[in-house]
Amino acid sequence: MEVQKFISIAPWTMIFQLVNLLILMVLFKKYLFKPVLAVLEKRRAEIEGHYEEAQKAETAAKTMKSEYESRMAGAREEADRVIKTATDSANAMSASIVEDARAQADQLKRRAQTEIDMERRKAFDEVKGELSGIALDIAAQVIEREVSQKDHEAFIDEFIKNVGEAS
């Protein structure tokens, strides 16, 4: 019986296996790795494009946010200015109304004082006329003589002075 060798090195088998391996490597590189690498490169470029778009969108959003905040600040300032203007206007109107009311009250007061003075003079003149008549009658009865016009006027003036001082 012959014993077979379990391990043997056959040079031609090794060469064929090596050539077979090289041919498989070339075929894999040409038909497998290149298309896969091309797909991977395409996918990488697409992802980078998405990242760039996202970055642009984020920048645009930040710009819009800053514009919105500045507009809101401007609107807030404008609202404060309008409120201040309205308040100042209302205060001015209030002061004007109060001043007009005071002026009208002063005018009414002056008019009333003028009317009182006129009524006082009128009443004084009426009383003066009545008193002069009464004084003349009394003087005529007391003295029972005729009084001249000059004496009569002097008597009336003195009487009125005495009555005016007594008031």
Side-chain angles (χ1 to χ4, degrees):
M1 276 209 279
E2 196 177 313
V3 179
Q4 271 188 329
K5 293 184 181 178
F6 285 115
I7 301 180
S8 67
I9 297 177
W12 287 107
T13 308
M14 270 181 99
I15 291 173
F16 283 126
Q17 283 182 352
L18 248 160
V19 170
N20 192 16
L21 182 63
L22 287 175
I23 291 170
L24 279 176
M25 281 182 59
V26 168
L27 289 174
F28 278 159
K29 187 176 179 182
K30 185 174 184 177
Y31 293 109
L32 183 64
F33 289 133
K34 281 188 180 180
V36 168
L37 287 176
V39 168
L40 288 176
E41 182 62 29
K42 183 180 173 186
R43 183 71 178 141
R44 186 188 61 78
E46 187 178 319
I47 289 172
E48 284 181 3
H50 288 302
Y51 278 129
E52 288 175 8
E53 287 178 18
Q55 192 71 7
K56 287 178 185 176
E58 182 181 4
T59 305
K62 286 181 182 178
T63 304
M64 288 173 56
K65 180 182 177 188
S66 65
E67 287 176 7
Y68 171 75
E69 288 174 350
S70 67
R71 285 182 184 169
M72 287 302 293
R76 189 169 291 123
E77 290 173 3
E78 179 70 18
D80 290 343
R81 186 182 59 78
V82 167
I83 289 171
K84 186 179 183 312
T85 302
T87 303
D88 292 345
S89 175
N91 289 339
M93 285 179 66
S94 172
S96 173
I97 290 171
V98 168
E99 187 61 34
D100 288 346
R102 283 187 181 141
Q104 287 177 356
D106 288 343
Q107 185 180 10
L108 288 174
K109 193 175 178 183
R110 284 192 303 269
R111 190 179 303 150
Q113 186 63 39
T114 304
E115 288 179 9
I116 289 171
D117 290 342
M118 286 174 47
E119 289 296 321
R120 181 180 292 158
R121 276 191 226 115
K122 185 178 175 182
F124 186 71
D125 288 344
E126 287 177 6
V127 168
K128 184 179 177 182
E130 288 178 20
L131 287 178
S132 67
I134 293 173
L136 184 59
D137 289 343
I138 291 174
Q141 289 176 3
V142 169
I143 297 178
E144 290 188 8
R145 65 179 179 96
E146 200 173 301
V147 177
S148 70
Q149 182 67 20
K150 185 176 178 184
D151 290 340
H152 177 63
E153 288 176 7
F155 182 69
I156 290 173
D157 288 338
E158 185 180 332
F159 182 75
I160 289 174
K161 283 182 188 176
N162 289 338
V163 171
E165 289 174 4
S167 307

